[in-house]
Amino acid sequence: MKMKLLTLMVVSVLLVAAVHGQQTYLANKQLDCYNNYNSTDGYVCNGASPSCISYLTFRSISPLYNSPTSIAYLLDSTPSEIASANNVTDVAPIPADTLVLVPVNCSCSGNYSQHNASYTLKTASDTYFGVANNTYQGLTTCQSLMHQNPYGDRNLTVGLTMEVPVRCACPTAAQAAAGINYLLVYLVTWGDSTEAIAQRFGVDESTLLAANDLLSTDIIYPFTPLLVPLKTKPSPLQLQLPTSPPPSPSPPPPPPSGGSSNNKWVFIGVGIGAGCLLLLTALAVFLFLSKRRRRQLRQSPKPNLRPKSSGDYTPNSLLPTIASDDTTKSWSSSGLKIAVESLTPYKFQDLQRATQFFSESNRINGSSVFRATFDGDEAAVKVMTGDVALSGDEINILKRINHSNIIRLSGFCVHQGNTYLVYEFAPSGSLIDCLHKGAISPLSWKQRVQIASDVAGALNYLHNFTEPPLIHKNLNSSNILLDANLRAKVANFGLARAVELDNEDEDGEQGFQQTRHVVGTRGYMAPEYIENGVITPKLDVFAFGVVLLELLSGRRASGDEEHTLLYESISGVLEGDDVRDKIKEFMDPSLKSEYPLDLAFSMAQLAKSCVALQINSRPTMAQASGTLSKILSSTLDWDPSDAEDLRDSRSLNYGR
Ligand SMILES: *[C@@H]1O[C@H](CO)[C@@H](O)[C@H](O)[C@H]1NC(C)=O
Ligand SMILES: *[C@@H]1O[C@H](CO)[C@@H](O)[C@H](O)[C@H]1NC(C)=O
Ligand SMILES: *[C@@H]1O[C@H](CO)[C@@H](O)[C@H](O)[C@H]1NC(C)=O
Ligand SMILES: *[C@@H]1O[C@H](CO)[C@@H](O)[C@H](O)[C@H]1NC(C)=O
Ligand SMILES: *[C@@H]1O[C@H](CO)[C@@H](O)[C@H](O)[C@H]1NC(C)=O
Ligand SMILES: *[C@@H]1O[C@H](CO)[C@@H](O)[C@H](O)[C@H]1NC(C)=O
Ligand SMILES: *[C@@H]1O[C@H](CO)[C@@H](O)[C@H](O)[C@H]1NC(C)=O
């Protein structure tokens, strides 16, 4: 015992010493372009010397960036140095999707250590986020691009050249003293773990973690850079995929997050009857699928795990049902419990105290959810009968559903045959209540656009940033909860399921799933799902379109007295004559005229494309989210007192 304590103390002293002064990991903050975090602008200037050689990594892309020359041009390096670092010739084409070493000079400018590159915009759809994430693969962030370039994000035009501050860092005095000469900027990808990365570059995992101010329980995310401290120049061989599969990461459970008031607690909306039971079932399936998927990942050397946005819709190729219910039934409840227990386990007595013995006054809207307070932090506790538990040892995955606009399940308790789940608490309730049930203060235009943008971000995250990709399947305005600042949190993953990637055929085209169990909420379900049970991410896009329409019109998804569903009414509004008047009439009267008509029009058009009956006419969630970012940024610039001017001066070039 004494020994253990001593070790703990020594370790923590070491940790503190090692962590101090090194760089902060991005942890997906680069996705939140309109907020600044102190890690998004760049690595801080704390190097022992103000400039140094640093190594970037970059995945070659055919045909644009697949030679030392073209990559040097993009990243402002020199072709001959890239060639020699990778043991190839300057002009040799590099096979697509190969990790390439790019030596650059790194130096301090202002308070950040960076390497300057520049980029000339090529397409009208380029955005700061797109340049940072897609073109530069995460070597820079939208926030730092915005800070170092004078252009507004709506003023980006083809041919414009922007400065690109590429993240890099020089070893600190402490690192230099430990013999470290280079900090390599590694791009995290699906399936990576700090352990595997450390092994690959032959460094201690603890050194790697310390260099990025990470704990071994922290999660790393794809498309974010991680600094790898190296004593010698990296060799191209280290960049090849390891031959033996990396040991599976199974970090210890996260420490109870007591008193962290950054993460406000929110509860899962009072949704479908057995919401939480389904949540667990869905998560179990999700874990199961992701496990299978990970196994695949290790077998295939160059996995292409990006979900294709939609398969061609040919009913003949429909695959047999894999009903989530069937898969989970076979999981034994005891095995499942282990995973749940790696969430914060709560003592029943603590839950009783936090909910005032489950008093009626703490019950939320007659549901089985109770308001709770743990050490001053609010939470919601959902009571379910039965010993419900999760499968697998992959609690890590559960933690990966980590997005500020997605509700967080943080703990649980099993007591006398009941299961209690503890969630974040959303003080402002659900969107449906705020919109339709005579809320005291109606949501403003800005708040509505922010909510739409939050939800788009959450869905984009589920579709493109989780492994495996997830489909929510039951998005509606009662599953969108609002925190104290009216920021959205998507909740109720009761019907969510993983995109099944085992079905990929030779061309890598992703097959899609079909189910006989069509369940969902009236007014939000896409036609191909109702008719054929087809499940693709476009289901969420459709439901999202309906939510946009609710935000615009304040009407219910299930329609008006004449029994037309809300989504059926939008084409009438945007077609034919007098579009301007029809939009004004469509808009929520409680907005009065305090909204910019042109932006309302853009949002209505986006909504219309999302609820297109043809699955292929709908945008992907990434596209929808991009469009909404633009609408949001215009909205943030918009001053309600301009309302009249805007409506009079801006031409709306549609209609006739
Ligand atoms: C970054 O922000 C966190 C919390 O907001 C703070 O604790 C930390 O000191 C900041 N780091 C720097 C380098 O400013
Ligand atoms: C570079 O490649 C050549 C053959 O292409 C090989 O003989 C040589 O060993 C390689 N050098 C290094 C340092 O990997
Ligand atoms: C770094 O700078 C030195 C001197 O300015 C130059 O010789 C070298 O080529 C540069 N390296 C790269 C990778 O640009
Ligand atoms: C650098 O940081 C200091 C202290 O945080 C701040 O006062 C200063 O404005 C920063 N300089 C630049 C160029 O951002
Ligand atoms: C990089 O760009 C910044 C901003 O324009 C500038 O202050 C800095 O001097 C540049 N650094 C180098 C090494 O050119
Ligand atoms: C970010 O870039 C990666 C490739 O670098 C891509 O797979 C991913 O979809 C991008 N994310 C978004 C939201 O566009
Ligand atoms: C965008 O461009 C317009 C017209 O050229 C200009 O008036 C406006 O100031 C620009 N906005 C920003 C943020 O650069």
Side-chain angles (χ1 to χ4, degrees), residues 441-462:
S441 51
L443 295 171
S444 71
W445 171 256
K446 280 184 189 175
Q447 287 162 340
R448 290 173 201 230
V449 177
Q450 182 69 64
I451 290 168
S453 171
D454 287 347
V455 174
L459 292 176
N460 186 25
Y461 174 79
L462 291 176

mmCIF file of all heavy atoms in Angstrom, residues 441-462:
data_model
loop_
_atom_site.group_PDB
_atom_site.id
_atom_site.type_symbol
_atom_site.label_atom_id
_atom_site.label_comp_id
_atom_site.label_asym_id
_atom_site.label_seq_id
_atom_site.Cartn_x
_atom_site.Cartn_y
_atom_site.Cartn_z
ATOM 1 N N SER A 441 -39.990 33.288 -24.110
ATOM 2 C CA SER A 441 -39.322 34.158 -25.070
ATOM 3 C C SER A 441 -38.990 33.332 -26.299
ATOM 4 O O SER A 441 -38.216 32.382 -26.234
ATOM 5 C CB SER A 441 -38.046 34.737 -24.454
ATOM 6 O OG SER A 441 -37.277 33.688 -23.920
ATOM 7 N N PRO A 442 -39.596 33.682 -27.426
ATOM 8 C CA PRO A 442 -39.351 32.901 -28.644
ATOM 9 C C PRO A 442 -37.880 32.977 -29.042
ATOM 10 O O PRO A 442 -37.204 33.966 -28.756
ATOM 11 C CB PRO A 442 -40.219 33.593 -29.689
ATOM 12 C CG PRO A 442 -40.922 34.703 -29.026
ATOM 13 C CD PRO A 442 -40.460 34.837 -27.624
ATOM 14 N N LEU A 443 -37.403 31.926 -29.683
ATOM 15 C CA LEU A 443 -36.014 31.907 -30.132
ATOM 16 C C LEU A 443 -35.807 32.975 -31.201
ATOM 17 O O LEU A 443 -36.634 33.135 -32.087
ATOM 18 C CB LEU A 443 -35.685 30.531 -30.724
ATOM 19 C CG LEU A 443 -35.726 29.355 -29.760
ATOM 20 C CD1 LEU A 443 -35.606 28.042 -30.521
ATOM 21 C CD2 LEU A 443 -34.613 29.487 -28.727
ATOM 22 N N SER A 444 -34.672 33.661 -31.108
ATOM 23 C CA SER A 444 -34.371 34.686 -32.104
ATOM 24 C C SER A 444 -33.790 34.026 -33.352
ATOM 25 O O SER A 444 -33.447 32.837 -33.338
ATOM 26 C CB SER A 444 -33.354 35.672 -31.547
ATOM 27 O OG SER A 444 -32.094 35.040 -31.464
ATOM 28 N N TRP A 445 -33.651 34.809 -34.400
ATOM 29 C CA TRP A 445 -33.066 34.275 -35.629
ATOM 30 C C TRP A 445 -31.666 33.722 -35.367
ATOM 31 O O TRP A 445 -31.331 32.616 -35.758
ATOM 32 C CB TRP A 445 -33.033 35.370 -36.694
ATOM 33 C CG TRP A 445 -32.254 34.957 -37.902
ATOM 34 C CD1 TRP A 445 -31.004 35.360 -38.250
ATOM 35 C CD2 TRP A 445 -32.662 34.013 -38.909
ATOM 36 N NE1 TRP A 445 -30.597 34.730 -39.392
ATOM 37 C CE2 TRP A 445 -31.598 33.896 -39.828
ATOM 38 C CE3 TRP A 445 -33.816 33.247 -39.111
ATOM 39 C CZ2 TRP A 445 -31.659 33.058 -40.932
ATOM 40 C CZ3 TRP A 445 -33.871 32.408 -40.225
ATOM 41 C CH2 TRP A 445 -32.804 32.319 -41.115
ATOM 42 N N LYS A 446 -30.855 34.518 -34.667
ATOM 43 C CA LYS A 446 -29.491 34.071 -34.406
ATOM 44 C C LYS A 446 -29.471 32.756 -33.642
ATOM 45 O O LYS A 446 -28.695 31.863 -33.945
ATOM 46 C CB LYS A 446 -28.707 35.120 -33.601
ATOM 47 C CG LYS A 446 -28.193 36.241 -34.458
ATOM 48 C CD LYS A 446 -27.337 37.222 -33.684
ATOM 49 C CE LYS A 446 -27.057 38.419 -34.595
ATOM 50 N NZ LYS A 446 -26.348 39.503 -33.945
ATOM 51 N N GLN A 447 -30.334 32.664 -32.639
ATOM 52 C CA GLN A 447 -30.367 31.437 -31.845
ATOM 53 C C GLN A 447 -30.770 30.252 -32.711
ATOM 54 O O GLN A 447 -30.235 29.159 -32.582
ATOM 55 C CB GLN A 447 -31.330 31.598 -30.668
ATOM 56 C CG GLN A 447 -30.766 32.520 -29.591
ATOM 57 C CD GLN A 447 -31.830 33.040 -28.644
ATOM 58 O OE1 GLN A 447 -33.023 33.029 -28.955
ATOM 59 N NE2 GLN A 447 -31.391 33.518 -27.477
ATOM 60 N N ARG A 448 -31.723 30.480 -33.608
ATOM 61 C CA ARG A 448 -32.167 29.376 -34.462
ATOM 62 C C ARG A 448 -31.053 28.907 -35.378
ATOM 63 O O ARG A 448 -30.841 27.708 -35.562
ATOM 64 C CB ARG A 448 -33.373 29.803 -35.300
ATOM 65 C CG ARG A 448 -34.614 29.976 -34.449
ATOM 66 C CD ARG A 448 -35.772 30.562 -35.246
ATOM 67 N NE ARG A 448 -36.711 31.146 -34.305
ATOM 68 C CZ ARG A 448 -38.022 30.900 -34.297
ATOM 69 N NH1 ARG A 448 -38.557 30.116 -35.204
ATOM 70 N NH2 ARG A 448 -38.782 31.452 -33.390
ATOM 71 N N VAL A 449 -30.335 29.858 -35.968
ATOM 72 C CA VAL A 449 -29.266 29.464 -36.882
ATOM 73 C C VAL A 449 -28.162 28.746 -36.100
ATOM 74 O O VAL A 449 -27.597 27.758 -36.555
ATOM 75 C CB VAL A 449 -28.703 30.694 -37.631
ATOM 76 C CG1 VAL A 449 -27.544 30.285 -38.514
ATOM 77 C CG2 VAL A 449 -29.793 31.334 -38.460
ATOM 78 N N GLN A 450 -27.880 29.235 -34.896
ATOM 79 C CA GLN A 450 -26.862 28.586 -34.070
ATOM 80 C C GLN A 450 -27.266 27.141 -33.750
ATOM 81 O O GLN A 450 -26.455 26.225 -33.822
ATOM 82 C CB GLN A 450 -26.656 29.381 -32.773
ATOM 83 C CG GLN A 450 -25.584 28.802 -31.869
ATOM 84 C CD GLN A 450 -24.182 28.961 -32.447
ATOM 85 O OE1 GLN A 450 -23.691 30.075 -32.625
ATOM 86 N NE2 GLN A 450 -23.538 27.842 -32.765
ATOM 87 N N ILE A 451 -28.526 26.960 -33.420
ATOM 88 C CA ILE A 451 -29.006 25.610 -33.111
ATOM 89 C C ILE A 451 -28.866 24.712 -34.337
ATOM 90 O O ILE A 451 -28.368 23.589 -34.266
ATOM 91 C CB ILE A 451 -30.469 25.663 -32.617
ATOM 92 C CG1 ILE A 451 -30.521 26.312 -31.230
ATOM 93 C CG2 ILE A 451 -31.098 24.266 -32.596
ATOM 94 C CD1 ILE A 451 -31.919 26.677 -30.762
ATOM 95 N N ALA A 452 -29.289 25.242 -35.493
ATOM 96 C CA ALA A 452 -29.190 24.450 -36.722
ATOM 97 C C ALA A 452 -27.737 24.065 -36.974
ATOM 98 O O ALA A 452 -27.422 22.922 -37.318
ATOM 99 C CB ALA A 452 -29.736 25.251 -37.900
ATOM 100 N N SER A 453 -26.855 25.030 -36.777
ATOM 101 C CA SER A 453 -25.448 24.783 -37.040
ATOM 102 C C SER A 453 -24.874 23.764 -36.044
ATOM 103 O O SER A 453 -24.086 22.889 -36.415
ATOM 104 C CB SER A 453 -24.724 26.121 -36.963
ATOM 105 O OG SER A 453 -23.358 25.942 -36.993
ATOM 106 N N ASP A 454 -25.304 23.852 -34.793
ATOM 107 C CA ASP A 454 -24.865 22.888 -33.777
ATOM 108 C C ASP A 454 -25.296 21.468 -34.155
ATOM 109 O O ASP A 454 -24.518 20.512 -34.060
ATOM 110 C CB ASP A 454 -25.488 23.219 -32.411
ATOM 111 C CG ASP A 454 -24.865 24.458 -31.779
ATOM 112 O OD1 ASP A 454 -23.818 24.908 -32.254
ATOM 113 O OD2 ASP A 454 -25.459 24.977 -30.805
ATOM 114 N N VAL A 455 -26.551 21.355 -34.565
ATOM 115 C CA VAL A 455 -27.066 20.022 -34.888
ATOM 116 C C VAL A 455 -26.346 19.476 -36.122
ATOM 117 O O VAL A 455 -25.967 18.303 -36.169
ATOM 118 C CB VAL A 455 -28.598 20.075 -35.118
ATOM 119 C CG1 VAL A 455 -29.111 18.726 -35.585
ATOM 120 C CG2 VAL A 455 -29.300 20.507 -33.838
ATOM 121 N N ALA A 456 -26.115 20.354 -37.100
ATOM 122 C CA ALA A 456 -25.400 19.910 -38.302
ATOM 123 C C ALA A 456 -24.009 19.433 -37.921
ATOM 124 O O ALA A 456 -23.534 18.412 -38.409
ATOM 125 C CB ALA A 456 -25.317 21.054 -39.311
ATOM 126 N N GLY A 457 -23.367 20.158 -37.016
ATOM 127 C CA GLY A 457 -22.027 19.761 -36.579
ATOM 128 C C GLY A 457 -22.046 18.401 -35.902
ATOM 129 O O GLY A 457 -21.181 17.559 -36.141
ATOM 130 N N ALA A 458 -23.057 18.186 -35.068
ATOM 131 C CA ALA A 458 -23.148 16.911 -34.351
ATOM 132 C C ALA A 458 -23.358 15.757 -35.332
ATOM 133 O O ALA A 458 -22.720 14.711 -35.230
ATOM 134 C CB ALA A 458 -24.296 16.967 -33.345
ATOM 135 N N LEU A 459 -24.249 15.953 -36.301
ATOM 136 C CA LEU A 459 -24.527 14.872 -37.252
ATOM 137 C C LEU A 459 -23.320 14.626 -38.152
ATOM 138 O O LEU A 459 -22.976 13.490 -38.465
ATOM 139 C CB LEU A 459 -25.754 15.207 -38.096
ATOM 140 C CG LEU A 459 -27.085 15.239 -37.340
ATOM 141 C CD1 LEU A 459 -28.203 15.688 -38.264
ATOM 142 C CD2 LEU A 459 -27.415 13.876 -36.747
ATOM 143 N N ASN A 460 -22.671 15.715 -38.554
ATOM 144 C CA ASN A 460 -21.476 15.569 -39.373
ATOM 145 C C ASN A 460 -20.426 14.765 -38.602
ATOM 146 O O ASN A 460 -19.734 13.910 -39.159
ATOM 147 C CB ASN A 460 -20.941 16.953 -39.730
ATOM 148 C CG ASN A 460 -19.786 16.885 -40.702
ATOM 149 O OD1 ASN A 460 -19.651 15.915 -41.455
ATOM 150 N ND2 ASN A 460 -18.932 17.891 -40.687
ATOM 151 N N TYR A 461 -20.352 15.026 -37.323
ATOM 152 C CA TYR A 461 -19.409 14.289 -36.473
ATOM 153 C C TYR A 461 -19.762 12.800 -36.451
ATOM 154 O O TYR A 461 -18.913 11.944 -36.641
ATOM 155 C CB TYR A 461 -19.439 14.885 -35.071
ATOM 156 C CG TYR A 461 -18.607 14.130 -34.063
ATOM 157 C CD1 TYR A 461 -17.227 14.289 -34.018
ATOM 158 C CD2 TYR A 461 -19.199 13.262 -33.162
ATOM 159 C CE1 TYR A 461 -16.461 13.604 -33.104
ATOM 160 C CE2 TYR A 461 -18.445 12.572 -32.231
ATOM 161 C CZ TYR A 461 -17.074 12.739 -32.210
ATOM 162 O OH TYR A 461 -16.325 12.048 -31.306
ATOM 163 N N LEU A 462 -21.041 12.509 -36.254
ATOM 164 C CA LEU A 462 -21.450 11.102 -36.220
ATOM 165 C C LEU A 462 -21.163 10.411 -37.546
ATOM 166 O O LEU A 462 -20.716 9.272 -37.581
ATOM 167 C CB LEU A 462 -22.948 10.988 -35.930
ATOM 168 C CG LEU A 462 -23.423 11.377 -34.540
ATOM 169 C CD1 LEU A 462 -24.940 11.291 -34.471
ATOM 170 C CD2 LEU A 462 -22.805 10.464 -33.493
#
